[in-house]
Amino acid sequence: MIAIFFLILPIYLLLGLGYLAVRGRVIAQDDLRRMMDIVLRLFLPGMMFYAIAANPIADTLDRGFLLAYAAAGLTALGLFTAIARWAGKPLASAGVEGMGASCPNSAFFGLPIATMVLGPEIALQGFALALLVENLIVLPLAIGVCEAGAAGQSGRRAALRRMALNPLLLSALAGLVWALSGIALPAPVESALLLLTQAAAPMVLVGIGGTLVGLRLTGESAGAMRVVFGKLIFHPAAAIIFVTVLGAGTSAAMRDAVVIYAASPMMGIFVILAARFGRDKMAGAAQIAAITLSVLTIPLMLWLISGN
């Protein structure tokens, strides 16, 4: 547990740096939001493409992993969207809660923890497959629910068009096509994408920390609690159940990888996406709480899978 704490300590430090930079007025919060918009439209799509295209997906597809991971994510998305609707939230806001409960931070939490526990080969294979499920299935569906709720009946066609043109979805599709082609990335292109990937992680974490300045928990605490419970407890628990049922033929290490990636806190861009639908304060509260509590819940999930 102490080893895991020190593993994720740099994440806390970068979050704190972003918070202090905005709090101390070194960076204006509006400037930080514009920087995060650049990250969302350019850096993260480049990272998605590289993570998928640079791995031999055609040789490493694991049916059990894909089925279990997708089933757990879709179950968390559907259930916690429905719970938020039952609590009186409009569809767009409910979709944001479902997104937070079902879309993990695979890159900055799942990958390093999986590497430490399972080794780099299994961790990278699981990371590539997790990105495929998240960016081709769960995240587009979550964004589609939010867009449909925000647009109303007359604007749903436009919402579907915006979802189809989402840079993260397009970059994931492009990376999948490239990986399946079997063509190696040219060395200069791979080096450029690697630099982009290395820059994305600290920028996202600093940006998340900056968005937490001025956070108030009053009116959004219930929604934040629902999202945190869904992401840290329900999603990995569902992953354990589904990988047990659907993971026949999948190695024990890959079954463990399903749970580790699902146990990660919500994705780094959750606050950015939630802001488009007026839920950035709830998302920020949920994210910082999930990152803090994951120090306890991730070791718990690792202990549970170690007994299987």
Side-chain angles (χ1 to χ4, degrees), residues 144-155:
V145 170
C146 296
E147 293 279 12
Q153 293 290 341
S154 62

Side-chain angles (χ1 to χ4, degrees), residues 115 141-142 156 164 172 184-185 234 248:
T115 300
L141 183 58
R156 290 185 180 178
L185 287 170
F234 181 85

Side-chain angles (χ1 to χ4, degrees), residues 125-190:
Q125 182 183 1
F127 178 57
L129 296 176
L131 282 184
L132 286 177
V133 172
E134 292 162 14
N135 292 287
L136 298 182
I137 301 174
V138 182
L139 182 57
L141 183 58
I143 293 175
V145 170
C146 296
E147 293 279 12
Q153 293 290 341
S154 62
R156 290 185 180 178
R157 183 175 299 176
L160 290 173
R161 184 167 60 251
R162 286 194 298 272
M163 183 182 71
L165 297 176
N166 184 283
L168 296 175
L169 175 60
L170 293 177
S171 62
L173 286 171
L176 177 60
V177 171
W178 190 283
L180 292 175
S181 74
I183 301 173
L185 287 170
V189 173
E190 184 170 4

Side-chain angles (χ1 to χ4, degrees), residues 57-114:
I57 298 296
D59 298 330
T60 58
L61 287 176
D62 187 301
R63 180 175 175 270
F65 184 107
L66 291 171
L67 288 175
Y69 198 68
L74 291 174
T75 300
L77 172 61
L79 178 61
F80 283 87
T81 298
I83 290 173
R85 289 287 283 161
W86 178 77
K89 296 295 182 182
L91 181 59
S93 294
V96 170
E97 293 192 22
M99 181 193 305
S102 61
C103 296
N105 194 332
S106 300
F108 309 137
F109 267 88
L111 181 58
I113 293 173

Side-chain angles (χ1 to χ4, degrees), residues 63-73 235 238-239 241-244 246-247 258:
R63 180 175 175 270
F65 184 107
L66 291 171
L67 288 175
Y69 198 68
H235 190 193
I241 294 171
F242 281 115
V243 81
T244 301
L246 302 174
V258 171

Side-chain angles (χ1 to χ4, degrees), residues 7 22 30 34 36 65 71 97 100 119 126 140 142 149 152-153 160 164 177 185 206 230 237 248 254 292 304:
L7 180 68
V22 173
D30 288 342
R34 284 190 284 270
M36 293 299 284
F65 184 107
E97 293 192 22
Q153 293 290 341
L160 290 173
V177 171
L185 287 170
V206 168
M254 286 300 287
T292 303
L304 287 175

